[in-house]
Amino acid sequence: ASPSEEKDLVIIGGGVAGYVAAIKAGQEGLKVACIEKRGTLGGTCLNVGCIPSKSLLNNSHLYHQILHDTKNRGIDVGDVKLNLEQMMKAKETSVSGLTKGIEFLFKKNGVEYIRGTGTFADENTVAINLVDGGETSVRGKNIIIATGSEATPFPGLTIDEKKVITSTGAIALKQVPKKMVVIGGGIIGLEMGSVWSRLGAEVTVVEFLGQIGGPGMDADISKSIQKTLGKQGMKFKLNTKVMQGDDSGDTVKLDLEAAKGGKPETVEADVVLVAIGRRPYTQGLGLENIGLETDNRGRLVIDQEYRTKIPHIRVIGDCTFGPMLAHKAEEEAVAAIEYITKNYGHVNYGAIPSVMYTHPEVAWVGQNEVELKEAGVKYKVGTFPFSANSRAKTNLDSEGMVKFLADAETDRILGVHIVGPNAGEMIAEGTLALEYGASTEDVGRTSHAHPTLAEAFKEAAMATYSKAIHA
Ligand code: FAD
Ligand code: NAD
């Protein structure tokens, strides 16, 4: 098919939102083209986000464990050395394997992949500046905008991805910095801070709020993970604002002040990681050519079926409302295609899990205590510590807990919060329970294999409606 032929659907952006929508559309028999300017598919998540960060988190954890946690297990190791270049190569191999995998899936599902930058010429036409030179255009009966997000810059600091970095620089440093200061104790700050702390950097996290973890993390869980990360060597300055920075010298200087006013102080670092959130990315899309506007936070405004005020133009993923998560983008992609082909779609925004891939991991789904209190909901709490779980104990990896929040009257699960080994896998069980409207008694009366970490999940449920056995 020639690119100028009219498609049933044109997608701008080949990240998780865009590529999943393209594959699903192909499966549904739509004639579909996906435009991506990066040169590879997979967007932020596969190229510079979820995947490379998890590769570095996994391998830096192994390195740290071999250095500090083998003797007591009966394993004497010799000279342990970091080969950062090889660690980065391992990351690149994972990334390129996965991004090429999507190209294969495009071919398999008949999706036309156009490498270039898409700009609206009119409501049905997208002009494309091709990566390999030249221009073309494509017309679509339907168009999906899936252009994602970018790191929010810190005013006054120039991002060079070497000395002042975002997560993109943090997955590609050529050497371990001596001192790293992280602005923002959210998920990116803690994940990437963990990587470089394990590899030997002295890491200080400066967070404006009184707790780490970013939006949504339960206060008890946040305290617990902060304690553990502190033991691993990370330092925290909470309730502290970065006022301004100076990156003109070899090091970067930051002026800090207590959030509620107080004595100012200056810190210095070889590398500063700016991790204060991400913002929707719609630059160069030519929204002005079709009269579409963004809200005060840069998000494209949509209705419940992902439609803009021009009904055949839809928006999904990071560039619109909701949590900036890959699996949220993926759910929206499938639902948007179903709205186009079948007139119905479904995403349960109340049951989207969050995972922070530190060690131990933190994972949650549903509401936390603050949110329930604010909503005036009466709830009960049940917890179980991994220190009382047989598998965690045999693995010598027993920090953390599982915490259930359930409706005080009906016992229906309202939230599950976990800090502990494999929390990111375990939260799938909590998400399923929430999605099915389960009570804690439903979970507590379900057999869980022994000895597994998942027994901590069952026992925390038991502790909510009755009593745990092993605590
Ligand atoms: P993106 O992935 O940003 O994709 C948008 C794509 O559109 C980009 O490739 C861009 O080049 C392209 N584009 C933009 N404008 C145009 C145009 N005009 N023409 C053509 N192409 C265009 N989420 C998780 O769920 N789990 C994680 O573990 C996780 N880890 C992360 C780690 C880091 C360091 C970061 C930064 C993010 C992480 N995220 C994670 C968030 C996740 O990456 C995003 O939620 C996800 O990528 C959103 O997908 P998207 O398709 O909406 O946008
Ligand atoms: P975030 O919103 O999670 O955290 C930003 C933190 O910075 C907040 O705690 C905020 O209080 C703090 N902050 C803001 N301004 C500050 C200032 N001037 N001084 C000190 N602290 C300040 O954002 P992020 O960590 O940058 O992550 C961005 C997005 O990427 C998030 O939506 C996240 O969901 C997504 N992400 C997800 C994963 C994952 O799912 N594992 C991993 C990485 C990124």
Side-chain angles (χ1 to χ4, degrees), residues 16-75:
V16 176
Y19 92 68
V20 172
I23 292 171
K24 180 74 183 165
Q27 289 171 349
E28 295 289 321
L30 298 185
K31 247 192 301 169
V32 55
C34 180
I35 308 163
E36 169 57 58
K37 67 175 183 166
R38 187 184 293 269
T40 54
L41 292 168
T44 304
C45 180
L46 271 72
N47 291 282
V48 290
C50 327
I51 298 302
S53 63
K54 265 80 255 181
S55 168
L56 292 177
L57 276 157
N58 187 51
N59 292 333
S60 64
H61 172 61
L62 267 177
Y63 170 72
H64 194 257
Q65 183 164 28
I66 294 168
L67 273 184
H68 301 288
D69 186 22
T70 54
K71 252 197 164 41
N72 56 335
R73 296 173 187 272
I75 310 166

Short mmCIF file of all heavy atoms in Angstrom, two decimals, residues 16-75:
data_model
loop_
_atom_site.label_atom_id
_atom_site.label_comp_id
_atom_site.label_asym_id
_atom_site.label_seq_id
_atom_site.Cartn_x
_atom_site.Cartn_y
_atom_site.Cartn_z
N VAL A 16 4.19 2.60 23.54
CA VAL A 16 3.32 1.50 23.97
C VAL A 16 1.87 1.77 23.55
O VAL A 16 1.18 0.88 23.03
CB VAL A 16 3.40 1.28 25.50
CG1 VAL A 16 2.43 0.22 25.94
CG2 VAL A 16 4.82 0.90 25.89
N ALA A 17 1.42 3.01 23.74
CA ALA A 17 0.04 3.34 23.36
C ALA A 17 -0.14 3.14 21.86
O ALA A 17 -1.07 2.44 21.42
CB ALA A 17 -0.27 4.79 23.76
N GLY A 18 0.75 3.74 21.08
CA GLY A 18 0.60 3.71 19.62
C GLY A 18 0.81 2.34 19.01
O GLY A 18 0.03 1.89 18.17
N TYR A 19 1.86 1.63 19.46
CA TYR A 19 2.14 0.34 18.80
C TYR A 19 1.09 -0.71 19.17
O TYR A 19 0.72 -1.54 18.33
CB TYR A 19 3.58 -0.13 19.03
CG TYR A 19 3.85 -1.02 20.22
CD1 TYR A 19 3.36 -2.33 20.28
CD2 TYR A 19 4.63 -0.58 21.28
CE1 TYR A 19 3.62 -3.14 21.37
CE2 TYR A 19 4.89 -1.38 22.37
CZ TYR A 19 4.38 -2.67 22.41
OH TYR A 19 4.62 -3.46 23.50
N VAL A 20 0.60 -0.67 20.41
CA VAL A 20 -0.45 -1.64 20.80
C VAL A 20 -1.73 -1.36 20.02
O VAL A 20 -2.37 -2.28 19.51
CB VAL A 20 -0.70 -1.63 22.33
CG1 VAL A 20 -1.90 -2.49 22.70
CG2 VAL A 20 0.54 -2.12 23.08
N ALA A 21 -2.06 -0.07 19.88
CA ALA A 21 -3.25 0.29 19.09
C ALA A 21 -3.10 -0.19 17.65
O ALA A 21 -4.04 -0.71 17.05
CB ALA A 21 -3.47 1.81 19.14
N ALA A 22 -1.88 -0.05 17.10
CA ALA A 22 -1.65 -0.44 15.70
C ALA A 22 -1.83 -1.95 15.53
O ALA A 22 -2.49 -2.41 14.59
CB ALA A 22 -0.24 -0.01 15.28
N ILE A 23 -1.26 -2.72 16.45
CA ILE A 23 -1.37 -4.19 16.34
C ILE A 23 -2.83 -4.62 16.49
O ILE A 23 -3.35 -5.41 15.71
CB ILE A 23 -0.47 -4.88 17.40
CG1 ILE A 23 1.01 -4.63 17.06
CG2 ILE A 23 -0.77 -6.38 17.48
CD1 ILE A 23 1.98 -5.08 18.12
N LYS A 24 -3.49 -4.06 17.50
CA LYS A 24 -4.90 -4.41 17.74
C LYS A 24 -5.75 -4.04 16.51
O LYS A 24 -6.62 -4.82 16.10
CB LYS A 24 -5.40 -3.67 18.99
CG LYS A 24 -6.83 -3.93 19.37
CD LYS A 24 -7.04 -5.30 19.98
CE LYS A 24 -8.51 -5.56 20.27
NZ LYS A 24 -8.80 -6.96 20.51
N ALA A 25 -5.47 -2.86 15.92
CA ALA A 25 -6.23 -2.44 14.74
C ALA A 25 -6.00 -3.41 13.59
O ALA A 25 -6.94 -3.80 12.87
CB ALA A 25 -5.81 -1.02 14.33
N GLY A 26 -4.74 -3.82 13.40
CA GLY A 26 -4.42 -4.80 12.36
C GLY A 26 -5.19 -6.10 12.59
O GLY A 26 -5.76 -6.69 11.67
N GLN A 27 -5.24 -6.54 13.85
CA GLN A 27 -5.95 -7.78 14.19
C GLN A 27 -7.44 -7.66 13.89
O GLN A 27 -8.09 -8.63 13.55
CB GLN A 27 -5.75 -8.11 15.68
CG GLN A 27 -4.34 -8.58 16.00
CD GLN A 27 -4.09 -8.69 17.51
OE1 GLN A 27 -4.90 -8.24 18.32
NE2 GLN A 27 -2.96 -9.29 17.87
N GLU A 28 -7.97 -6.44 14.03
CA GLU A 28 -9.40 -6.21 13.80
C GLU A 28 -9.70 -5.97 12.32
O GLU A 28 -10.83 -5.64 11.96
CB GLU A 28 -9.89 -5.00 14.62
CG GLU A 28 -9.82 -5.19 16.12
CD GLU A 28 -10.85 -6.18 16.66
OE1 GLU A 28 -11.99 -6.18 16.18
OE2 GLU A 28 -10.49 -6.98 17.54
N GLY A 29 -8.66 -6.04 11.48
CA GLY A 29 -8.89 -5.92 10.03
C GLY A 29 -8.89 -4.50 9.50
O GLY A 29 -9.28 -4.25 8.37
N LEU A 30 -8.44 -3.53 10.33
CA LEU A 30 -8.39 -2.14 9.83
C LEU A 30 -7.13 -1.94 9.00
O LEU A 30 -6.09 -2.54 9.27
CB LEU A 30 -8.37 -1.16 11.02
CG LEU A 30 -9.56 -1.13 11.97
CD1 LEU A 30 -9.40 0.00 12.98
CD2 LEU A 30 -10.87 -0.94 11.21
N LYS A 31 -7.22 -1.08 8.00
CA LYS A 31 -6.04 -0.65 7.24
C LYS A 31 -5.38 0.43 8.08
O LYS A 31 -5.96 1.50 8.30
CB LYS A 31 -6.46 -0.08 5.89
CG LYS A 31 -5.98 -0.95 4.74
CD LYS A 31 -6.12 -0.31 3.39
CE LYS A 31 -7.52 0.09 3.04
NZ LYS A 31 -7.67 0.94 1.87
N VAL A 32 -4.17 0.17 8.61
CA VAL A 32 -3.59 1.06 9.61
C VAL A 32 -2.13 1.42 9.31
O VAL A 32 -1.37 0.58 8.83
CB VAL A 32 -3.73 0.43 11.03
CG1 VAL A 32 -3.11 -0.95 11.11
CG2 VAL A 32 -3.14 1.32 12.12
N ALA A 33 -1.79 2.70 9.60
CA ALA A 33 -0.38 3.13 9.50
C ALA A 33 0.01 3.74 10.85
O ALA A 33 -0.80 4.38 11.51
CB ALA A 33 -0.22 4.17 8.40
N CYS A 34 1.26 3.51 11.26
CA CYS A 34 1.77 4.07 12.51
C CYS A 34 3.02 4.89 12.20
O CYS A 34 3.96 4.39 11.58
CB CYS A 34 2.08 2.94 13.49
SG CYS A 34 2.71 3.52 15.07
N ILE A 35 2.99 6.16 12.61
CA ILE A 35 4.10 7.08 12.32
C ILE A 35 4.95 7.23 13.59
O ILE A 35 4.42 7.57 14.65
CB ILE A 35 3.57 8.47 11.91
CG1 ILE A 35 2.53 8.33 10.78
CG2 ILE A 35 4.71 9.39 11.49
CD1 ILE A 35 1.68 9.59 10.60
N GLU A 36 6.24 7.01 13.48
CA GLU A 36 7.14 7.17 14.65
C GLU A 36 8.40 7.87 14.20
O GLU A 36 9.03 7.48 13.22
CB GLU A 36 7.44 5.80 15.27
CG GLU A 36 8.56 5.80 16.32
CD GLU A 36 8.32 6.76 17.50
OE1 GLU A 36 7.30 6.63 18.18
OE2 GLU A 36 9.18 7.66 17.72
N LYS A 37 8.79 8.89 14.97
CA LYS A 37 9.92 9.73 14.55
C LYS A 37 11.27 9.30 15.13
O LYS A 37 12.32 9.77 14.69
CB LYS A 37 9.65 11.18 14.93
CG LYS A 37 9.63 11.44 16.43
CD LYS A 37 9.47 12.93 16.68
CE LYS A 37 9.51 13.21 18.17
NZ LYS A 37 9.68 14.60 18.49
N ARG A 38 11.24 8.42 16.13
CA ARG A 38 12.44 8.07 16.88
C ARG A 38 13.44 7.22 16.07
O ARG A 38 14.63 7.19 16.37
CB ARG A 38 11.99 7.29 18.12
CG ARG A 38 13.03 6.96 19.15
CD ARG A 38 12.41 6.11 20.24
NE ARG A 38 11.43 6.84 21.01
CZ ARG A 38 11.70 7.52 22.12
NH1 ARG A 38 12.93 7.54 22.59
NH2 ARG A 38 10.74 8.16 22.76
N GLY A 39 12.90 6.51 15.07
CA GLY A 39 13.76 5.59 14.31
C GLY A 39 13.60 4.16 14.79
O GLY A 39 13.96 3.22 14.09
N THR A 40 13.08 3.97 15.99
CA THR A 40 12.75 2.62 16.49
C THR A 40 11.37 2.68 17.13
O THR A 40 10.95 3.74 17.59
CB THR A 40 13.76 2.13 17.56
OG1 THR A 40 13.83 3.11 18.58
CG2 THR A 40 15.13 1.87 16.99
N LEU A 41 10.71 1.53 17.19
CA LEU A 41 9.39 1.47 17.81
C LEU A 41 9.53 1.25 19.32
O LEU A 41 10.60 0.93 19.82
CB LEU A 41 8.56 0.35 17.16
CG LEU A 41 8.17 0.62 15.71
CD1 LEU A 41 7.62 -0.63 15.04
CD2 LEU A 41 7.16 1.76 15.64
N GLY A 42 8.42 1.41 20.04
CA GLY A 42 8.44 1.10 21.48
C GLY A 42 8.44 2.33 22.38
O GLY A 42 8.25 2.21 23.59
N GLY A 43 8.71 3.51 21.79
CA GLY A 43 8.59 4.75 22.56
C GLY A 43 9.54 4.86 23.74
O GLY A 43 10.59 4.22 23.78
N THR A 44 9.12 5.70 24.69
CA THR A 44 9.91 5.92 25.89
C THR A 44 10.14 4.60 26.62
O THR A 44 11.26 4.28 27.03
CB THR A 44 9.13 6.87 26.84
OG1 THR A 44 8.83 8.07 26.14
CG2 THR A 44 9.93 7.19 28.10
N CYS A 45 9.08 3.83 26.78
CA CYS A 45 9.13 2.62 27.62
C CYS A 45 10.24 1.67 27.16
O CYS A 45 11.09 1.27 27.94
CB CYS A 45 7.76 1.94 27.59
SG CYS A 45 7.70 0.44 28.56
N LEU A 46 10.22 1.30 25.88
CA LEU A 46 11.19 0.29 25.44
C LEU A 46 12.58 0.88 25.21
O LEU A 46 13.58 0.22 25.46
CB LEU A 46 10.71 -0.39 24.14
CG LEU A 46 9.84 -1.61 24.40
CD1 LEU A 46 8.48 -1.20 24.91
CD2 LEU A 46 9.70 -2.46 23.17
N ASN A 47 12.63 2.14 24.73
CA ASN A 47 13.92 2.71 24.34
C ASN A 47 14.69 3.34 25.50
O ASN A 47 15.90 3.14 25.63
CB ASN A 47 13.73 3.73 23.23
CG ASN A 47 13.32 3.07 21.92
OD1 ASN A 47 14.15 2.51 21.23
ND2 ASN A 47 12.03 3.10 21.61
N VAL A 48 13.99 4.13 26.32
CA VAL A 48 14.70 4.88 27.37
C VAL A 48 13.97 4.86 28.72
O VAL A 48 14.25 5.67 29.59
CB VAL A 48 14.92 6.36 26.94
CG1 VAL A 48 15.93 6.47 25.82
CG2 VAL A 48 13.61 7.03 26.54
N GLY A 49 13.02 3.94 28.89
CA GLY A 49 12.22 3.95 30.12
C GLY A 49 12.20 2.60 30.82
O GLY A 49 13.23 2.12 31.30
N CYS A 50 11.01 2.00 30.84
CA CYS A 50 10.78 0.75 31.59
C CYS A 50 11.88 -0.28 31.36
O CYS A 50 12.46 -0.81 32.32
CB CYS A 50 9.47 0.08 31.15
SG CYS A 50 8.14 1.17 30.65
N ILE A 51 12.16 -0.58 30.10
CA ILE A 51 13.02 -1.74 29.80
C ILE A 51 14.49 -1.49 30.15
O ILE A 51 15.06 -2.25 30.94
CB ILE A 51 12.83 -2.16 28.32
CG1 ILE A 51 11.37 -2.59 28.11
CG2 ILE A 51 13.81 -3.25 27.90
CD1 ILE A 51 10.87 -3.73 28.98
N PRO A 52 15.12 -0.42 29.63
CA PRO A 52 16.53 -0.22 30.02
C PRO A 52 16.71 -0.01 31.52
O PRO A 52 17.70 -0.47 32.10
CB PRO A 52 16.95 1.02 29.23
CG PRO A 52 15.69 1.65 28.76
CD PRO A 52 14.68 0.58 28.64
N SER A 53 15.73 0.67 32.17
CA SER A 53 15.90 0.90 33.61
C SER A 53 15.81 -0.42 34.38
O SER A 53 16.54 -0.64 35.33
CB SER A 53 14.89 1.93 34.13
OG SER A 53 13.57 1.47 33.98
N LYS A 54 14.92 -1.32 33.93
CA LYS A 54 14.80 -2.60 34.63
C LYS A 54 16.01 -3.49 34.39
O LYS A 54 16.41 -4.26 35.26
CB LYS A 54 13.52 -3.33 34.23
CG LYS A 54 12.37 -3.06 35.18
CD LYS A 54 11.67 -1.74 34.96
CE LYS A 54 11.92 -0.65 35.92
NZ LYS A 54 11.19 0.58 35.62
N SER A 55 16.61 -3.39 33.21
CA SER A 55 17.84 -4.13 32.95
C SER A 55 18.92 -3.69 33.94
O SER A 55 19.58 -4.51 34.59
CB SER A 55 18.30 -3.88 31.51
OG SER A 55 19.60 -4.37 31.32
N LEU A 56 19.08 -2.36 34.08
CA LEU A 56 20.12 -1.85 35.01
C LEU A 56 19.75 -2.15 36.46
O LEU A 56 20.63 -2.44 37.28
CB LEU A 56 20.31 -0.34 34.81
CG LEU A 56 20.92 0.07 33.47
CD1 LEU A 56 20.99 1.58 33.36
CD2 LEU A 56 22.32 -0.54 33.30
N LEU A 57 18.46 -2.10 36.79
CA LEU A 57 18.05 -2.41 38.17
C LEU A 57 18.37 -3.87 38.49
O LEU A 57 18.90 -4.19 39.56
CB LEU A 57 16.56 -2.13 38.36
CG LEU A 57 16.24 -0.66 38.66
CD1 LEU A 57 14.82 -0.30 38.29
CD2 LEU A 57 16.50 -0.34 40.14
N ASN A 58 18.07 -4.75 37.56
CA ASN A 58 18.31 -6.17 37.80
C ASN A 58 19.81 -6.45 37.96
O ASN A 58 20.22 -7.10 38.93
CB ASN A 58 17.74 -6.98 36.62
CG ASN A 58 17.78 -8.46 36.88
OD1 ASN A 58 17.32 -8.93 37.92
ND2 ASN A 58 18.35 -9.21 35.95
N ASN A 59 20.61 -5.94 37.03
CA ASN A 59 22.03 -6.29 37.06
C ASN A 59 22.79 -5.54 38.16
O ASN A 59 23.73 -6.09 38.74
CB ASN A 59 22.65 -6.07 35.67
CG ASN A 59 22.09 -7.09 34.69
OD1 ASN A 59 21.70 -8.19 35.09
ND2 ASN A 59 22.02 -6.74 33.42
N SER A 60 22.37 -4.32 38.48
CA SER A 60 23.04 -3.62 39.59
C SER A 60 22.67 -4.29 40.91
O SER A 60 23.48 -4.35 41.84
CB SER A 60 22.66 -2.13 39.61
OG SER A 60 21.29 -1.95 39.87
N HIS A 61 21.47 -4.85 40.99
CA HIS A 61 21.08 -5.57 42.22
C HIS A 61 21.96 -6.82 42.38
O HIS A 61 22.45 -7.12 43.47
CB HIS A 61 19.60 -5.95 42.16
CG HIS A 61 19.19 -6.85 43.29
ND1 HIS A 61 19.27 -6.47 44.61
CD2 HIS A 61 18.73 -8.13 43.31
CE1 HIS A 61 18.87 -7.46 45.39
NE2 HIS A 61 18.55 -8.49 44.62
N LEU A 62 22.16 -7.55 41.26
CA LEU A 62 23.00 -8.75 41.33
C LEU A 62 24.41 -8.38 41.79
O LEU A 62 24.99 -9.04 42.66
CB LEU A 62 23.11 -9.37 39.93
CG LEU A 62 22.10 -10.46 39.59
CD1 LEU A 62 22.31 -10.91 38.15
CD2 LEU A 62 22.28 -11.64 40.53
N TYR A 63 24.94 -7.32 41.21
CA TYR A 63 26.30 -6.85 41.56
C TYR A 63 26.38 -6.53 43.05
O TYR A 63 27.28 -6.97 43.77
CB TYR A 63 26.64 -5.63 40.71
CG TYR A 63 27.90 -4.91 41.12
CD1 TYR A 63 29.15 -5.47 40.86
CD2 TYR A 63 27.85 -3.65 41.73
CE1 TYR A 63 30.32 -4.81 41.23
CE2 TYR A 63 29.01 -2.99 42.09
CZ TYR A 63 30.23 -3.57 41.84
OH TYR A 63 31.39 -2.91 42.20
N HIS A 64 25.39 -5.77 43.52
CA HIS A 64 25.36 -5.33 44.91
C HIS A 64 25.22 -6.55 45.83
O HIS A 64 25.88 -6.64 46.88
CB HIS A 64 24.17 -4.38 45.10
CG HIS A 64 24.18 -3.61 46.37
ND1 HIS A 64 23.38 -3.94 47.43
CD2 HIS A 64 24.92 -2.54 46.77
CE1 HIS A 64 23.61 -3.09 48.42
NE2 HIS A 64 24.54 -2.24 48.05
N GLN A 65 24.39 -7.50 45.42
CA GLN A 65 24.19 -8.69 46.24
C GLN A 65 25.47 -9.52 46.29
O GLN A 65 25.84 -10.01 47.36
CB GLN A 65 23.03 -9.53 45.68
CG GLN A 65 22.74 -10.74 46.56
CD GLN A 65 21.41 -11.38 46.27
OE1 GLN A 65 20.91 -11.31 45.15
NE2 GLN A 65 20.83 -12.02 47.26
N ILE A 66 26.13 -9.66 45.16
CA ILE A 66 27.37 -10.45 45.15
C ILE A 66 28.42 -9.78 46.05
O ILE A 66 29.16 -10.44 46.76
CB ILE A 66 27.89 -10.64 43.71
CG1 ILE A 66 26.91 -11.51 42.92
CG2 ILE A 66 29.27 -11.30 43.70
CD1 ILE A 66 27.13 -11.55 41.43
N LEU A 67 28.43 -8.45 46.05
CA LEU A 67 29.40 -7.73 46.89
C LEU A 67 29.08 -7.88 48.39
O LEU A 67 29.97 -8.00 49.21
CB LEU A 67 29.37 -6.24 46.55
CG LEU A 67 30.25 -5.72 45.44
CD1 LEU A 67 30.12 -4.20 45.36
CD2 LEU A 67 31.71 -6.08 45.64
N HIS A 68 27.78 -7.83 48.73
CA HIS A 68 27.42 -7.66 50.14
C HIS A 68 26.61 -8.79 50.76
O HIS A 68 26.36 -8.78 51.95
CB HIS A 68 26.61 -6.35 50.32
CG HIS A 68 27.34 -5.14 49.86
ND1 HIS A 68 28.41 -4.62 50.55
CD2 HIS A 68 27.18 -4.36 48.78
CE1 HIS A 68 28.86 -3.55 49.91
NE2 HIS A 68 28.13 -3.38 48.83
N ASP A 69 26.14 -9.73 49.96
CA ASP A 69 25.15 -10.65 50.51
C ASP A 69 25.38 -12.09 50.02
O ASP A 69 24.45 -12.75 49.57
CB ASP A 69 23.75 -10.13 50.10
CG ASP A 69 22.62 -10.93 50.73
OD1 ASP A 69 22.84 -11.59 51.76
OD2 ASP A 69 21.51 -10.91 50.15
N THR A 70 26.62 -12.55 50.06
CA THR A 70 26.86 -13.94 49.65
C THR A 70 27.51 -14.77 50.78
O THR A 70 27.21 -15.95 50.92
CB THR A 70 27.78 -14.02 48.42
OG1 THR A 70 28.98 -13.30 48.71
CG2 THR A 70 27.13 -13.47 47.17
N LYS A 71 28.37 -14.15 51.56
CA LYS A 71 29.15 -14.87 52.59
C LYS A 71 28.24 -15.68 53.51
O LYS A 71 28.46 -16.86 53.73
CB LYS A 71 29.95 -13.86 53.42
CG LYS A 71 31.43 -13.93 53.10
CD LYS A 71 32.28 -13.27 54.18
CE LYS A 71 33.73 -13.68 54.05
NZ LYS A 71 34.22 -13.74 52.67
N ASN A 72 27.19 -15.00 54.03
CA ASN A 72 26.28 -15.66 54.97
C ASN A 72 25.46 -16.76 54.31
O ASN A 72 24.83 -17.56 54.97
CB ASN A 72 25.34 -14.63 55.62
CG ASN A 72 24.58 -13.85 54.59
OD1 ASN A 72 25.02 -13.69 53.46
ND2 ASN A 72 23.41 -13.35 54.97
N ARG A 73 25.47 -16.79 52.96
CA ARG A 73 24.74 -17.82 52.23
C ARG A 73 25.65 -19.01 51.91
O ARG A 73 25.24 -19.96 51.25
CB ARG A 73 24.18 -17.25 50.92
CG ARG A 73 23.16 -16.16 51.12
CD ARG A 73 22.76 -15.51 49.82
NE ARG A 73 21.88 -14.36 50.07
CZ ARG A 73 20.56 -14.45 50.19
NH1 ARG A 73 19.96 -15.61 50.03
NH2 ARG A 73 19.84 -13.38 50.44
N GLY A 74 26.92 -18.91 52.34
CA GLY A 74 27.86 -20.00 52.08
C GLY A 74 28.48 -19.93 50.71
O GLY A 74 28.86 -20.94 50.13
N ILE A 75 28.57 -18.73 50.18
CA ILE A 75 29.22 -18.58 48.87
C ILE A 75 30.37 -17.58 49.03
O ILE A 75 30.13 -16.41 49.31
CB ILE A 75 28.24 -18.04 47.80
CG1 ILE A 75 26.93 -18.85 47.79
CG2 ILE A 75 28.87 -18.04 46.42
CD1 ILE A 75 25.79 -18.20 47.03
#
